[in-house]
Amino acid sequence: MKFIRNMAALFLFLPFFLSAQITWTPYFASHSDSVTVIFDASQGNAGLLGYTGDVYAHTGVITSASTSNSDWKYVKTNWGVNTPETKLTRIGTDLYQFKIKPSVRAFYGVPANEAIQKIAFVFRSAASPYREGKTAEGGDIFVNLSTGGLDVAITLPESDPTILALNGSLPIQALSTGSTNLALYIDGNQVSTTASFTINYNYTGSTAGKKWVKAVATSSTGSTKADSLYVVVRPPVTVQALPANMKDGVNYTSVTSATLSLYAPHKEYVYIIGDFTNWQVDPNLYMKKTPDGNRFWAEIPGLSPGVEYGFQYLVDGTLRVTDPYVDKVLDPWNDRYISNAVYPGLKQYPAGKTSGIVGVLQTAQSAYQWQNTSFTRPAKTDLVIYELLIRDFTTARTYQSVIDTLSYLKRLGINAIQLMPVMEFEGNESWGYNPMFMFAPDKYYGPKNKLKELIDKAHGMGMAVILDIVLNHQFGLSPLVRLWWDSANNQPAANSPYFNQVARHPFNVGYDFNHESQATKDFVDRVNTYWLTEYKVDGFRYDLSKGFTQTNSGSNVGQWGQYDQSRINLLKRMADVVWQTDPGAYVILEHFADNSEETVLANYGMMLWSNHNHSYNEATMGWLANSDFSWISWKNKGWQQPHGIGYMESHDEERLMYKNLQYGNASGTYNIKNLAVALNRQKLAAAFFFTVPGPKMLWQFGELGFDLSINYPCGTDACRLSNKPPKWDYLQIPERVKLNKVYSALANLKVNYPAFRTNDFTIAGSGAVKKIHLYHSSMNVVVIGNFDVTTQSGIPVFPNAGTWYNYFDGTSMNVTDPNMSVQLQPGEFRIYTSVQLPAPEPGLLTSAEEIAGEIPSEYGLSQNYPNPFNPETTIRFAVKQADMVTIDVYDVMGSKVASVLNEYKPAGTYEVSFDASALSSGVYFYRMTAGGYSEMKKLVVLK
């Protein structure tokens, strides 16, 4: 009874036990207790400071089945789901109460045989964009649970490690339960003792160094339990110049040492922590400060050659970040999902020793041995770029899998691959536009040397490699963001040397770089130089380059796109540094500003994305009013050079084939919604795409007529970034292979014949019959095509009389009247050359009559044959337009006993085999459904 009375007295004077962000009672709570938690939104990262809306707990537990503190179990609701049981009660300004009852185990629904170690929290606002209450380091918040009986905890100081300035004062508090004696030790010397359950002691750090604080509770039976932590008493920071030739980041000074330099103005002090200190603060790795106060630096000695070490900076005693220049990071949330097959021997995250992203350093690394050191890049006007997202390009989703497809791309006629961002981004599956580390290739795709091998082998096959790179913004896990963060307003701090507190332009994501800042300029130049030299990339496509400005357009899209001389100056400066490093590197902008500005940038030597998705798609769908794509010509824009990278599709645009099949025009039997017709329309568009002089870009699988929506699978913007299936199975469909071969034949023309890079050309892009004329001393070319859904006559306007050659069928024609008329079926095109060229494979172009004959006019299901059968039979069916088709087998009672087919099928006639080995002899029925069509027939299994 004495124990109960003393505990009651303890709760009377200390009803809640301090932990800054949260307090809870009872402090030594067990799995069977009800727990009340108080959340102080002004503490920790202060992400909910001043927030007046409802606050919810995203909460779960760490149990004996958890693999780390990130492996929450029995989580209450999915992220963003608001339920009464996870809603906090506001009890004051920035103060909230959360009750877990009737017990921790019951509330979370944890089985009795699973031990509960901790309760885990992240507090959040009710609606997106979510404001989050986390630790000062941006981590999860935990409440440790007691196993019962004798227990002890040091509750002050709250942080471990605790950094104390020399001669500073530090309150220390220790609590116990079930004890008769509680003693406090510092460096093994007892400084206080009590028979009560609490000790409060004020420590003065009179000498620098690492101090071991230990609390020991003793029970009436003489058993003991202890809790301890380190306090580091730090002296004033040593001011000393950075050694010569050291850059920001990791500098390998020998096979056993590295010097680290961190650019961190406005910070007071920094320690390096890592595997080499067992993640404890080591006074020997207390970083020096440069005389200008902007940098901290220290040398790490005694490293083992070739060994990977995880490390971070501990900034001002609370903030853990790693170096923004590291080329490899360890991610506590996502690395566990990277298989050994993708990244063999990936170093494990130091779970339980630190929090947040960890950097990796490694002396004596084996350098990649480049095999192709004399690669000559394609001329800008000859570029046929293939935009590629590794995540959705192959099922393996690796650098190696792209290596394995290089021969396919080579056969297609590709001479440049543009990889969507591969720098470490938040999460694993992403488009890559949420970057956090700009020098580290994302491990989800494999090791960094595999990326180098990909670039090397592409060069060996004559293909350049262009990186899509994000320098408009960074996301919240970037050290550049975290080092200067305004928690109260959930935005970059006013003293950030890199970021605007509020984005200066519309459509910004993440945190907007201040491109006028010298720190940003230096960082941008380091990023560009690094990838050009270390990875030998051939250039960059700069995402959202129109955002490289400090001109504040707010949410005014029109103002944002207007001529901006400051933006031009910034981009020229950046490009100049790129070209000083590598004079032939491609500088490509996703800009979409006023043509007056784009003209200046193009004439300076940069290339710009030229989006013609809408006009080409209107043309392929057969809707002619808005189908004029003649603006794809750099000449029509008034540019001096062919620096517009024209494209019909990109990752940001809807697929042409999807809209062809959904919204295509029709006349009589000619219906663009039919797959074969839609694919033929893509050939027509390609003839008016590749033949326009200037660089061109394809988006992956466009050459096979990819027809899933950009919003697949749900059909709305919510699925815009969702995974799309790699459609290598299209290579089994003859009509899609024909489209691929047409693309290849046209790319061959573009790259290998000077007439297709001429400066003397015209485009007539309006109306039903469109034309292109190319004039060159080596050869003249006339392209004519009918984009209508009915037969049309057109005048090619041959430059001269004489013999002209039809490229795709190899025939010749004697032209006596240059103004002669030709008749074109819907979707038909011809490429005439004044010089005979080797003709492509015959049969690649399909006439409207042939297509009409191939496409069934109705859905249909035929009787299976043989019938009766044992054990296999064949079922034939017809699909009049692209549709989901299901064929199921039912018994005489109407129960489904087998599924024969459940696939999306293009228009056509098909056969499918059914194996009835699993069925007994008897009468069955099979039903086909497609769209609104349904038909059933009988089959007989006879064994």
Side-chain angles (χ1 to χ4, degrees), residues 156 164 213 247 359 365 394 475 589 805 823 840 861 911:
L156 289 178
L164 178 65
V213 179
K247 295 180 178 180
Q365 296 183 44
T394 68
F475 267 57
L589 308 179
Y805 302 91
Q823 189 176 67
L861 179 64
E911 291 183 347

Side-chain angles (χ1 to χ4, degrees), residues 161-224:
T162 293
I163 313 295
L164 178 65
L166 187 64
N167 297 318
S169 180
L170 179 70
I172 300 174
Q173 181 185 72
L175 302 177
S176 68
T177 179
S179 67
T180 57
N181 180 266
L182 178 61
L184 185 68
Y185 298 84
I186 297 179
D187 282 345
N189 299 314
Q190 182 174 299
V191 295
S192 182
T193 184
T194 181
S196 183
F197 294 104
T198 182
I199 282 179
N200 287 286
Y201 179 80
N202 200 58
Y203 169 69
T204 299
S206 57
T207 59
K210 197 170 185 179
K211 314 299 178 181
W212 185 35
V213 179
K214 183 178 181 181
V216 180
T218 305
S219 73
S220 59
T221 62
S223 61
T224 62

Side-chain angles (χ1 to χ4, degrees), residues 156-476:
L156 289 178
E158 301 152 4
S159 58
D160 184 11
T162 293
I163 313 295
L164 178 65
L166 187 64
N167 297 318
S169 180
L170 179 70
I172 300 174
Q173 181 185 72
L175 302 177
S176 68
T177 179
S179 67
T180 57
N181 180 266
L182 178 61
L184 185 68
Y185 298 84
I186 297 179
D187 282 345
N189 299 314
Q190 182 174 299
V191 295
S192 182
T193 184
T194 181
S196 183
F197 294 104
T198 182
I199 282 179
N200 287 286
Y201 179 80
N202 200 58
Y203 169 69
T204 299
S206 57
T207 59
K210 197 170 185 179
K211 314 299 178 181
W212 185 35
V213 179
K214 183 178 181 181
V216 180
T218 305
S219 73
S220 59
T221 62
S223 61
T224 62
K225 197 165 186 180
D227 188 23
S228 64
L229 55 77
Y230 281 103
V231 173
V232 177
V233 180
R234 64 174 187 87
V237 178
T238 299
V239 176
Q240 186 176 330
L242 185 68
N245 301 318
M246 296 293 111
K247 295 180 178 180
D248 290 337
V250 180
N251 301 271
Y252 296 110
T253 50
S254 76
V255 296
T256 60
S257 63
T259 295
L260 275 57
S261 172
L262 176 68
Y263 179 74
H266 315 301
K267 301 303 175 183
E268 186 178 358
Y269 65 92
V270 181
Y271 285 90
I272 303 172
I273 58 175
D275 292 334
F276 34 74
T277 68
N278 195 29
W279 294 96
Q280 299 294 318
V281 173
D282 185 344
N284 293 317
L285 291 179
Y286 186 41
M287 301 184 80
K288 301 178 178 70
K289 182 183 285 191
T290 54
D292 62 6
N294 288 335
R295 286 174 171 80
F296 294 85
W297 68 274
E299 183 180 54
I300 307 172
L303 300 172
S304 297
V307 172
E308 289 188 319
Y309 293 91
F311 78 99
Q312 291 175 317
Y313 299 112
L314 182 61
V315 181
D316 290 347
T318 58
L319 178 62
R320 294 170 188 247
V321 296
T322 196
D323 197 289
Y325 292 91
V326 291
D327 65 359
K328 181 177 179 178
V329 299
L330 305 179
D331 183 326
W333 308 287
N334 299 292
D335 283 1
R336 74 187 75 171
Y337 304 111
I338 300 175
S339 71
N340 191 62
V342 171
Y343 199 115
L346 176 60
K347 179 178 171 62
Q348 295 298 301
Y349 184 85
K353 296 181 178 180
T354 191
S355 61
I357 301 293
V358 166
V360 175
L361 60 84
Q362 180 188 21
T363 65
Q365 296 183 44
S366 297
Y368 177 79
Q369 299 301 310
W370 292 90
Q371 302 301 305
N372 299 281
T373 56
S374 57
F375 173 63
T376 300
R377 295 175 183 131
K380 293 176 181 177
T381 191
D382 293 346
L383 281 172
V384 181
I385 301 170
Y386 195 89
E387 189 189 18
L388 184 157
L389 171 60
I390 295 175
R391 185 198 71 182
D392 292 349
F393 189 55
T394 68
T395 54
R397 303 174 177 180
T398 60
Y399 301 124
Q400 179 62 54
S401 67
V402 180
I403 293 172
D404 295 339
T405 66
L406 290 178
S407 58
Y408 166 82
L409 296 175
K410 181 68 175 177
R411 288 194 301 272
L412 181 59
I414 299 303
N415 58 21
I417 301 167
Q418 181 172 296
L419 297 176
M420 285 177 66
V422 298
M423 294 79 177
E424 273 284 358
F425 42 77
E426 295 188 1
N428 280 337
E429 296 188 4
S430 169
W431 277 11
Y433 297 108
N434 53 338
M436 56 180 184
F437 286 89
M438 299 302 296
F439 294 79
D442 201 285
K443 304 185 304 301
Y444 187 61
Y445 298 144
K448 64 182 180 182
N449 278 355
K450 272 298 173 185
L451 176 57
K452 291 180 180 180
E453 183 183 346
L454 165 57
I455 296 166
D456 195 9
K457 289 190 172 179
H459 286 171
M461 298 179 73
M463 290 181 278
V465 177
I466 299 164
L467 291 188
D468 192 340
I469 192 168
V470 184
L471 290 173
N472 172 78
H473 57 268
Q474 292 279 278
F475 267 57

